[in-house]
Amino acid sequence: MDIAITRASPEDAAEIIALMKIIGSESDNLSFDGNGIPVTVDEEAEFLKSIGHSRNEAFFVARRDSKIIGTAHYTAFTKKRMAHRGEFGICVRKSECGRGVGSMLLGEILSFAKDVARSQIVSLEVRSDNIAAIKLYEKFGFEKIGRFKGFFKINGEFIDFDIMQKFI
């Protein structure tokens, strides 16, 4: 598989924003829709620059033939009583789903969480009916610890999410 996972750089900002519009239009599993994320290219570039060497936060991109096809963002909590934990989100183009991209991104997230952020627990929220994503997380040892009823509201409908975690 010719996929490379790297930390995102400010130069990736425009491509990331464009990709979020595509992915947002392909799925109702994310916190944004086809309008993408509500930031400008300059704001995204500044964000990526600000976390470029962070030990608590990282943004990764998956590339196939130099084109970004997925992203993953990890944030470790910094408050003293929560500093042992972190959380993440992953986005992958629909055309790339089921091809190992999510696994590669998740592996990178877990390595960063353990080796750089020194987190002990990693958590996530996933739409309760997103079976493919739940299976991916379970494959990596995540366990469901609860359900957040009405986590999203889309077109007047409440959508439940599972809360999952893994000790690393």
Side-chain angles (χ1 to χ4, degrees):
M1 190 178 305
D2 55 341
I3 295 172
I5 308 293
T6 60
R7 240 171 137 158
S9 70
E11 292 75 28
D12 296 323
E15 190 175 358
I16 290 168
I17 288 175
L19 178 66
M20 294 302 106
K21 289 180 181 179
I22 293 168
I23 294 175
S25 69
E26 295 176 335
S27 172
D28 280 336
N29 296 330
L30 305 169
S31 61
F32 53 90
D33 59 17
N35 294 313
I37 54 177
V39 297
T40 66
V41 171
D42 288 342
E43 289 168 337
E44 182 72 2
E46 186 57 37
F47 165 70
L48 294 171
K49 181 180 177 184
S50 74
I51 66 167
H53 299 287
S54 174
R55 298 186 61 76
N56 294 319
E57 189 169 8
F59 196 101
F60 296 97
V61 292
R63 287 186 174 86
R64 179 188 302 282
D65 301 324
S66 75
K67 186 176 178 182
I68 299 174
I69 58 171
T71 66
H73 180 215
Y74 181 80
T75 304
F77 294 98
T78 56
K79 292 181 179 178
K80 184 178 178 182
R81 292 183 177 187
M82 297 169 64
H84 63 288
R85 300 190 300 120
E87 58 187 11
F88 71 94
I90 293 178
C91 299
V92 177
R93 280 197 74 152
K94 190 173 187 176
S95 62
E96 297 289 340
C97 288
R99 301 175 80 187
V101 179
S103 290
M104 292 177 73
L105 285 164
L106 183 49
E108 197 69 35
I109 286 291
L110 292 174
S111 292
F112 178 85
K114 182 178 180 183
D115 300 334
V116 180
R118 303 280 190 222
S119 299
Q120 296 172 299
I121 300 172
V122 177
S123 64
L124 64 104
E125 296 91 22
V126 58
R127 192 171 159 146
S128 298
D129 61 358
N130 188 348
I131 303 304
I134 291 169
K135 286 184 182 207
L136 169 67
Y137 302 137
E138 289 174 340
K139 180 175 93 172
F140 278 82
F142 284 84
E143 296 179 354
K144 178 180 170 181
I145 59 169
R147 177 162 288 176
F148 191 123
K149 294 193 175 285
F151 191 84
F152 276 3
K153 188 175 182 183
I154 301 173
N155 298 324
E157 180 185 352
F158 288 114
I159 309 293
D160 298 346
F161 271 58
D162 291 349
I163 303 164
M164 300 181 81
Q165 75 175 23
K166 173 185 175 69
F167 286 80
I168 56 174

